[in-house]
Structures are given as structure tokens and as C-alpha cells.
Amino acid sequence: MSQFELPADRPAIMGILNVTPDSFSDGGLYQSRQAAIAHALSMRDQGADVIDIGGESTRPGAAPVEAEVEIARTIPVVTELANRGIPVSIDTSKAAVAKAAIEAGAHIVNDVTALSDPAMAELCNLSGCTVCLMHMQGTPRTMQLAPAYQDVVAEVLTFLLQRARRLALPKEQIWIDPGIGFGKTTEQNLALIRATDVFVASGYPVLVGISRKSFLGRILGTETEPAPLEERLEGSLVLAAQAQLAGARILRVHDVAATRRAVRVTQAFRNQQPI
């Protein structure tokens, strides 16, 4: 398997493609194969380095779906994009779905449950794919009911490092994701973003997914009347830039063109010279 290589001088931009009826931001928009592929190609043209394809919603309160449903939703799109030479990530927690996606040409497994399926680690070790491990307290159905931590940064980092040890892969092929918005309050999310450098210091590439998250809606609006999705772009970009400055290597986003521009400006600011 050829490996996906992260850019050396900036974060990789991972474009989100949900082929689901119920994802929080774009559910139902890209259920048809034609619509999904068109959106993926648009994100590629806007500067996405990799397309993350998901067939099961992980929004708060979402119900699980069977592996067969995920496979039917995702694999035709994975196959088409891989055949076009576009790097693909499969967003799944099921080893059966990941196996089908790898066979169809996916380079990356993005597991929001960090190897909860006992077969996932073995599959990824055998295939040699890149793996992203994300932290989530609880399940999508329950994660936002009452998230609680003694020390959110320490607990999330410890969990991710423990899961990373299950993989017999080079360190650069194991990405860690603190799971912004997955079983965390607004303050806990902000604490994790502030501590991006702590996760970076682990030596694993760090993925940060902030784009359009509900905690941004609460910051920009109120707890009871959060700002709508279309008003969360600026907040997403501000925190993406903070993560970039702290050393995040991958940004998972809906708004590819805007994020790519923000990354370029942030990189110029950090380098103190134009790029």
C-alpha cells in the first residue's frame, strides 16, 4: 500500500464528505454517488489534500447503522475517487467497512472510537494503512448528556497513547485526534484546543476537527440559541489557525477553500515571510 504523506510545511487539509442522511452539517446533501463525487472533486480543486468519507453519522444523538449500510454508501465513492488518484480516508469504527475501503483504495482509516472493534487494530497492522485515533466519551447517542473529567487534557492524551500502542505501525502513520465536540463541554473543548501543543509533544501527528462544531454555535450565540451552521465559519478558522500555530498536522474541515486561505496566511505569519 502506498502511504499518504503529510505536507512538511503546513497542515494537511482533510475535506469532509458525509454520504449520510443525518450528519449534523451536510446530512442528505451527498447521498447520491454523483453528488458525492462532484463535491469531493470540488474540495480537491479548492485545495483538499485528502477526502474523508463517512457513511454513519456521529452527530450527538445519532443512532448506529449496520456495516452493510455503511459499505453500500461509501465504497462506490471510495472506489471512484481512488481510481482518480485522490487520497481517501474512510471514517468508520467498523473493521468490515475499513477492510472494504482499503481494498477499494483508501489510504487512511479514521476511527472515532479508537479501535473499539477488536478486529480493527489487526486489520490496520496487516494492511499498513495510516490510522487516525479519536477520543470520544461515550457513544454518539450519549456523549453530550453529561461529559465529565477530572483533567480533560491528561485523560484524553492518556487514552489516545494507550490505544496507539495497539498498532504496530510507524509513529508517523498513527494520527491522534482529541475529539473536539465528542463528549466534551464548551470549556473542555477549548481546553483541548489550548493544549494542542501537549498532544503534538507526544510525537504523533495531531488531527484537529473544529469545523462548524456545536460548541462554536454556543460561543457565537447562547447555550439555548446557538448560532446556526452558516455563521460558524469565522470561529472555525480562528481556532484552526490556533491549532496550526501549535503544531497540528491535519485539519478536518467542511470549508476547504476558506481553510486553505487561512492556513496560508497563518503559515506566512509564522514564517514572517510571504509564501
Side-chain angles (χ1 to χ4, degrees):
M1 165 181 280
S2 61
Q3 292 301 320
F4 174 76
E5 293 190 13
L6 291 167
D9 60 343
R10 60 167 176 82
I13 305 297
M14 176 183 275
I16 299 168
L17 178 58
N18 292 313
V19 287
T20 60
D22 56 346
S23 292
F24 85 96
S25 179
D26 52 4
L29 293 179
Y30 310 114
Q31 281 186 268
S32 78
R33 177 173 170 272
Q34 293 79 6
I37 291 168
H39 185 55
L41 294 176
S42 175
M43 288 193 289
R44 187 272 312 271
D45 292 345
Q46 291 171 15
D49 298 290
V50 59
I51 306 298
D52 190 40
I53 302 173
E56 177 181 33
S57 174
T58 53
R59 63 176 174 79
V65 301
E66 296 297 322
E68 292 78 10
V69 174
E70 271 192 73
I71 289 170
R73 289 173 176 174
T74 59
I75 299 309
V77 182
V78 172
T79 301
E80 177 70 19
L81 297 182
N83 286 343
R84 291 172 179 256
I86 297 173
V88 172
S89 166
I90 183 69
D91 181 357
T92 187
S93 60
K94 300 180 183 71
V97 180
K99 182 175 186 294
I102 291 167
E103 291 173 350
H107 293 78
I108 302 158
V109 172
N110 182 14
D111 185 354
V112 300
T113 67
L115 311 178
S116 65
D117 183 338
M120 187 69 91
E122 181 180 4
L123 169 70
C124 294
N125 285 334
L126 288 173
S127 71
C129 67
T130 294
V131 185
C132 182
L133 305 175
M134 194 195 80
H135 176 274
M136 173 170 51
Q137 188 175 89
T139 67
R141 183 171 286 184
T142 65
M143 63 187 180
Q144 289 305 116
L145 296 180
Y149 304 84
Q150 293 294 317
D151 182 331
V152 67
V153 173
E155 290 173 42
V156 170
L157 180 59
T158 297
F159 170 87
L160 291 172
L161 295 182
Q162 288 173 343
R163 293 303 174 97
R165 295 188 191 107
R166 298 183 183 181
L167 294 167
L169 295 168
K171 215 166 188 179
E172 62 269 18
Q173 286 177 233
I174 305 172
W175 303 352
I176 58 173
D177 175 357
I180 303 302
F182 286 81
K184 284 95 177 175
T185 65
T186 297
E187 284 305 318
Q188 289 160 356
N189 287 319
L190 293 173
L192 288 167
I193 296 166
R194 292 187 196 103
T196 299
D197 60 337
V198 175
F199 291 87
V200 169
S202 71
Y204 293 99
V206 174
L207 181 150
V208 176
I210 298 166
S211 180
R212 302 184 187 175
K213 292 287 176 71
S214 58
F215 82 100
L216 290 170
R218 294 192 293 272
I219 292 172
L220 295 168
T222 68
E223 287 289 330
T224 55
E225 293 187 28
L229 291 168
E230 61 270 17
E231 295 179 11
R232 300 178 190 176
L233 174 60
E234 296 90 347
S236 300
L237 297 178
V238 166
L239 293 183
Q242 293 295 317
Q244 178 181 352
L245 289 170
R249 298 291 306 281
I250 310 98
L251 300 175
R252 184 177 183 273
V253 305
H254 299 89
D255 303 286
V256 171
T259 304
R260 192 62 184 262
R261 289 193 293 268
V263 163
R264 185 172 182 180
V265 172
T266 304
Q267 191 71 1
F269 171 77
R270 183 167 66 181
N271 292 344
Q272 297 183 341
Q273 60 185 17
I275 60 174

